[in-house]
Amino acid sequence: MTDPATEPSDPPRPSGVRRAARSASRRASTRPSTPWRRAPGARRGTPRGGRRVLRPRRRTRSVPGMLGMTVLGAAVPGSGYLFAGRRALGALVLLGYLALLGGGLYYVAGRGTREALELAFDPARLRLAAAVVAIGFLTWAFVVVTSHRLVRPRQRRRWQTALGHTLVVGLCLAVAAPTYYTARNSLAQADVVAGVLDDSDNESATTPEDVTPEDPWGGQDRVNVLLLGGDGGEDRTGVRTDTIMVLSINTSSGRSALFSLPRNMMDAQFPESSPLHDLYPDGFGGYGDDATYMLNAVYKTVPELHPGVLGKSDNEGADALKQAVAGSLGIPIHYYLLVNLRGFEQIVDAMGGVTVNINEPVAINGNTDLGIPPTGYLDPGPDQRLDGFHALWFARGRWGSDDYERMERQRCMVDAIIEEANPLNLFRRYQELAAAGEDVVYTDIPRDLAPAFVELALKVKDQPLRSVVFRNSEKFFSGDPDFDYVQTTVENTLRPPKRKPGAPAIEREAVKPVDVCAYAPEGDEDVTTTAGE
């Protein structure tokens, strides 16, 4: 038996060989038993060693699935990301979308009409809204495009790729059109509000001082607005207000009355509290010929003769005319709205025309006083479609007719414009209307009261309108008006006296406005009172 102690041992290895053997042993102990492969669909950059492998991205397997998920991703932003396995990003986008949707519904439905109207009359918020709409669309379009790229099949043919791209482009264009119109109209509305209702340019000496957005009528049961049609043509110096009407509105019910005064009414009265009453105690009288004593001369003459007499104002002529009408009718005039007929043609053209009934030929051009004959006529007939030029002469034509016939045509033109101003037509032509209205509409209504006026206008639309026309008769003569009669008529119209039992009814000769504007009218209903007849 061999003694282990005497058994020969392996010869010693050099130190370098021992170190190489140990290094090889360590590499062998850390090497995986099978080669490492990236999981199918996993992102590049996954740590080696098998410690963490990303879940494969989910994709649709067919063309219908691709199209359906693309549409769903557009309708519900974030759903495409969730389907593809991008849970964090999908949840973030989806929650943001739901928050915006909920906030919009709350703003429109939860906060009421007044909040929406305040937005419509705030230029800064309108411009901000336009920017938000544009950014929102760009964000949505990015989500739609990227969602489609994530969910489309990995293996697809060229026509399938083209079909997917076509769907994405179609969805983006379908949303881009209303987005563009909304943003553009928001900017146009901001410009109109800034131009027409700019408080810095609408300083008035005759507007109420005790009104606020919370109490827009100052506790009064009626608000009275002077409606003016300014005839500022190229052949005239300045603006001559040939259309003069007062719309008196009950602030609770919306029931209204419209009073029409002839442009040639003499000796207009001023309220005793007005500085103009001290200057014209017996009524308005200008200078020169009789034309300067007419009501339509107040707008131009008073600022020329007495600048600053009523106080600081951006439109002294309108303030003076408000005072003249207030003193003549016996009611306060709170605000005015002036439409310059020089731009009336643009407004009608921007609306695409209006439709009226013409019962008698209406002259185009011509001057009766100078013996200049018309250059043409509007032919009679029902449902005549007029462009801006012919609509202007329908409302303005005077050859062969008196002022009162022209006043009736002007009321019919107002009805035609209201009829034409349906929401769809206004939306399609808003840009043209905004461009036309910004240069021809003037008012002293404060911007912060505009929402209250819009709400009141909605009430007026649902209520009957009584129209009273002061025209020459046995009881009224524009050359020497009986203002006691005028003021009594106005008071009885706004606050009808209660008839005592057995007392005779108040007799009125009247015509129905729709009949006046109809073809071959027949007046038989007591809606429009012809004062004095």
Side-chain angles (χ1 to χ4, degrees), residues 4 34 68 100 102 209 247 249 259 282 286 296 308 352 363 476 492 525:
T34 57
L100 289 175
E209 298 180 353
L247 181 62
I249 310 171
F259 301 99
D282 299 324
N296 69 340
F476 179 83
N492 289 341
E525 294 193 25

Side-chain angles (χ1 to χ4, degrees), residues 109-273:
R111 302 187 68 181
T113 305
R114 177 61 65 88
E115 294 292 337
L117 290 175
E118 288 180 357
L119 169 63
F121 289 96
D122 187 336
R125 291 165 67 184
L126 284 169
R127 294 188 177 99
L128 177 61
V132 170
V133 168
I135 294 173
F137 167 74
L138 294 176
T139 303
W140 173 87
F142 175 80
V143 171
V144 171
V145 172
T146 54
S147 296
H148 171 74
R149 291 179 62 86
L150 287 174
V151 303
R152 64 185 180 180
R154 182 178 299 277
Q155 301 296 330
R156 58 190 180 280
R157 298 180 179 179
R158 289 185 178 179
W159 69 267
Q160 295 173 336
T161 300
L163 181 61
H165 290 169
T166 301
L167 176 62
V168 169
V169 172
L171 290 172
C172 291
L173 290 179
V175 177
T179 300
Y180 169 73
Y181 280 109
T182 300
R184 190 181 71 161
N185 289 347
S186 296
L187 295 176
Q189 172 70 5
D191 292 339
V192 171
V193 172
V196 177
L197 297 176
D198 187 356
D199 291 342
S200 64
D201 294 332
N202 287 345
E203 186 169 2
S204 172
T206 57
T207 52
E209 298 180 353
D210 55 347
V211 296
T212 63
E214 294 73 25
D215 183 15
W217 319 124
Q220 300 297 313
D221 61 345
R222 304 196 75 89
V223 59
N224 304 316
V225 182
L226 179 62
L227 306 178
L228 303 174
D231 202 352
E234 296 179 356
D235 56 340
R236 295 185 174 180
T237 302
V239 175
R240 201 165 67 186
T241 52
D242 284 352
T243 301
I244 304 171
M245 297 182 289
V246 173
L247 181 62
S248 181
I249 310 171
N250 186 299
T251 56
S252 297
S253 66
R255 294 181 67 89
S256 306
L258 185 68
F259 301 99
S260 298
L261 289 171
R263 67 180 182 89
N264 61 351
M265 188 182 76
M266 300 288 192
D267 303 324
Q269 303 293 297
F270 295 99
E272 293 184 359
S273 59

